[in-house]
Amino acid sequence: MKRKKDPYFDSIDSIHKSLELKPVIALKNFFISSSSSPHDNYSIPISSVSKKGPEFGLSIRVLRFLRNYPSFFEEFEGPLYNLPWFRLTQKAVELDKEERLVSEQFRDDIVTRLKKFILMSGTRKMLPLKIIKGFRWYLGLPDEFFKDPLDYVKGCGRFEIVDIEDGLKGLSVFEESNNGNKRKIFSTIQKNAMNSGVYSGGENEAIAFPLFPSKGLRLKQKIKDWLVEFQKLPYMSPYEDSSCLNPDSDVSEKRLVGLLHEVLSLFVEHAAERKSFICLKKYLGLPQKVHKCFERHPHIFYLSMKNNTCTAILKEAYCDEVAVEPHPLSNVRKKYIDLMKESVVILRSKRGSNSRAINQENADSNDLGVFMGLVSLERCLGRDNKKNGRVKSNKQVTFLTMSTALRSKYVFIQVWC
């Protein structure tokens, strides 16, 4: 199916600026964790971070990257050898405090999203910490979680660190139960269907996915007919065991769409790079060509190619404000993006000031050259008159030149011939 561009989804800054913001926040967190002077806005020398570019996913030098974001990082001369030092700006410090406050206040919400993410892994109910770390940006997990995962999730359910293959560690979840019966977890699709009165919570009930066609997107008639029948199929929750399903059936396809819908609904921006789902194939039971599912359902997902990155976006989250619960950190991320945009204004202002200074210097140099040329001409004419024994006439030759160095006033140099 040919992809159709949608300007609305391609212009959402909270999604497309997120990739640019990610290394900025990682460096901001490094400043806070590494600096020994929080009273000075967490200042550190450039030498302590200059060789850590790959750790933050940078393709350019760290020094250049820091200078690209003066609204986050303030440069100043260090106490020794005039080496560059950097510290966080006051606005960045205040936003960091707000982010930590929100993370603490809504810890239960963030852990619940992590728990749901793990419970979609089938009967194992476990994900490697390595995988969770790869999705930390999308889930909004703070650095404190990875220092001691069990301490961070304490009081939010029963978790356990387990050993898995290849010497990796995993985080498993034990499902909660009431009187010996497992407590059922409902997906976002199921909750909205129950609120609308079209779903009673039973098994094998059909739930139609909300569709949001992009303007100008037309489907072939046979695809429309298939979609009508697809919507009538039973809906299987992504938290239920799907091992009994035929992987080539339409019911399995609908279960996959529901799983991708639920995963994206848990994320901060309700969007993620499409390639990030590749590492989830083994643990969430995804098919080999899971990326094709986004293409086959353009009324549910949108694939944006902005910034040379294929990003999968959950349409419902941006077309129905009450359908998908917003992530607690979504507003803080937007404030970070607004602060990041201020760097563009600051750099543009600096470039304008430097350009005016260079132009002024060049103008002064040119005026000095013209003045010295006229002085030389006067001396040559004087020597020539003296050599030929000429008598000065009353005729006056006036040389007129414009001098910006002398505040655009006319300078007259009179030479008697």
Side-chain angles (χ1 to χ4, degrees):
M1 186 181 300
K2 188 176 180 180
R3 191 182 70 88
K4 177 71 176 178
K5 287 186 177 182
D6 191 321
Y8 170 70
F9 292 103
D10 283 333
S11 62
I12 301 176
D13 279 345
S14 61
I15 295 176
H16 303 295
K17 291 289 185 181
S18 178
L19 291 177
E20 182 183 352
L21 178 64
K22 186 177 179 180
V24 175
I25 299 301
L27 273 165
K28 182 264 299 179
N29 293 339
F30 179 82
F31 272 64
I32 293 174
S33 62
S34 303
S35 177
S36 58
S37 54
H39 59 279
D40 191 24
N41 285 3
Y42 306 97
S43 58
I44 61 173
I46 186 61
S47 57
S48 64
V49 72
S50 59
K51 297 182 179 180
K52 298 182 181 292
E55 297 181 18
F56 304 112
L58 301 181
S59 58
I60 62 175
R61 294 174 57 194
V62 177
L63 177 61
R64 180 182 173 188
F65 184 85
L66 293 175
R67 286 173 173 169
N68 284 342
Y69 297 96
S71 60
F72 275 88
F73 310 104
E74 180 184 351
E75 183 177 359
F76 64 99
E77 287 188 359
L80 295 176
Y81 310 114
N82 295 330
L83 294 178
W85 280 53
F86 287 87
R87 59 180 163 232
L88 298 180
T89 62
Q90 189 59 37
K91 288 185 177 180
V93 172
E94 292 173 358
L95 269 180
D96 176 77
K97 291 179 180 178
E98 181 179 350
E99 179 187 14
R100 293 177 187 276
L101 180 62
V102 170
S103 295
E104 186 60 33
Q105 289 180 343
F106 294 90
R107 176 182 293 201
D108 291 352
D109 186 294
I110 295 173
V111 174
T112 299
R113 291 171 186 268
L114 172 63
K115 183 194 300 183
K116 288 183 176 181
F117 189 55
I118 297 175
L119 288 176
M120 282 187 274
S121 60
T123 56
R124 291 180 294 183
K125 310 300 180 187
M126 181 276 305
L127 282 178
L129 286 172
K130 183 179 180 180
I131 297 294
I132 296 174
K133 190 172 184 178
F135 282 85
R136 63 184 298 183
W137 179 254
Y138 300 125
L139 291 167
L141 294 173
D143 292 342
E144 288 75 14
F145 169 80
F146 296 96
K147 294 177 181 178
D148 190 344
L150 294 181
D151 182 67
Y152 184 82
V153 301
K154 185 186 300 182
C156 302
R158 187 182 171 192
F159 292 81
E160 188 175 300
I161 300 292
V162 296
D163 295 320
I164 54 180
E165 67 275 5
D166 300 328
L168 297 176
K169 298 286 186 179
L171 185 65
S172 64
V173 178
F174 293 89
E175 295 183 82
E176 300 176 4
S177 59
N178 289 328
N179 300 325
N181 297 321
K182 291 183 178 179
R183 182 181 297 177
K184 187 173 182 179
I185 300 177
F186 293 99
S187 66
T188 299
I189 289 290
Q190 290 173 315
K191 289 179 181 179
N192 292 337
M194 292 176 71
N195 293 334
S196 301
V198 297
Y199 176 64
S200 62
E203 295 183 1
N204 297 324
E205 287 190 54
I207 302 179
F209 290 106
L211 303 180
F212 302 91
S214 295
K215 186 177 181 180
L217 178 62
R218 296 180 177 83
L219 303 180
K220 294 181 180 180
Q221 188 59 45
K222 63 177 182 179
I223 298 179
K224 291 181 180 180
D225 296 338
W226 173 84
L227 185 59
V228 171
E229 297 301 321
F230 178 81
Q231 293 281 54
K232 297 177 181 179
L233 294 174
Y235 174 87
M236 176 174 280
S237 171
Y239 302 109
E240 297 177 6
D241 182 22
S242 63
S243 58
C244 59
L245 295 180
N246 178 1
D248 296 325
S249 65
D250 285 344
V251 176
S252 181
E253 170 88 357
K254 188 165 185 176
R255 195 258 176 188
L256 175 60
V257 174
L259 185 146
L260 296 176
H261 183 287
E262 184 69 6
V263 169
L264 291 176
S265 70
L266 299 177
F267 291 169
V268 178
E269 289 91 13
H270 307 302
E273 291 184 73
R274 187 175 66 170
K275 65 181 181 181
S276 64
F277 288 89
I278 296 176
C279 64
L280 294 176
K281 291 179 182 179
K282 178 180 178 180
Y283 302 101
L284 300 190
L286 305 181
Q288 187 66 25
K289 295 184 178 180
V290 60
H291 59 280
K292 293 290 184 180
C293 183
F294 295 111
E295 300 174 7
R296 289 194 297 267
H297 299 275
H299 291 349
I300 302 174
F301 309 107
Y302 178 73
L303 291 178
S304 174
M305 299 302 296
K306 195 169 182 179
N307 301 325
N308 297 322
T309 303
C310 186
T311 304
I313 303 172
L314 180 61
K315 283 188 167 184
E316 186 177 14
Y318 292 92
C319 296
D320 188 345
E321 294 181 356
V322 298
V324 181
E325 186 178 354
H327 195 285
L329 290 174
S330 59
N331 286 331
V332 179
R333 288 269 179 95
K334 292 176 182 178
K335 292 180 181 180
Y336 273 127
I337 291 173
D338 290 339
L339 180 60
M340 189 170 62
K341 290 179 179 178
E342 291 183 17
S343 294
V344 178
V345 179
I346 295 172
L347 292 175
R348 186 182 296 125
S349 176
K350 286 184 177 180
R351 284 194 292 266
S353 299
N354 293 338
S355 178
R356 287 191 294 270
I358 292 173
N359 292 337
Q360 184 66 36
E361 183 178 348
N362 291 339
D364 293 345
S365 177
N366 292 337
D367 290 340
L368 180 61
V370 172
F371 180 77
M372 295 304 295
L374 290 173
V375 170
S376 298
L377 179 59
E378 179 187 6
R379 291 177 178 176
C380 290
L381 290 174
R383 285 195 298 267
D384 186 61
N385 289 338
K386 185 176 181 181
K387 181 178 179 181
N388 296 323
R390 295 181 181 176
V391 180
K392 294 180 181 179
S393 65
N394 292 329
K395 185 177 180 181
Q396 187 181 54
V397 179
T398 304
F399 294 91
L400 178 63
T401 182
M402 187 74 174
S403 174
T404 56
L406 297 178
R407 301 180 182 179
S408 303
K409 292 182 179 180
Y410 290 105
V411 177
F412 295 86
I413 299 178
Q414 299 177 337
V415 181
W416 294 90
C417 301

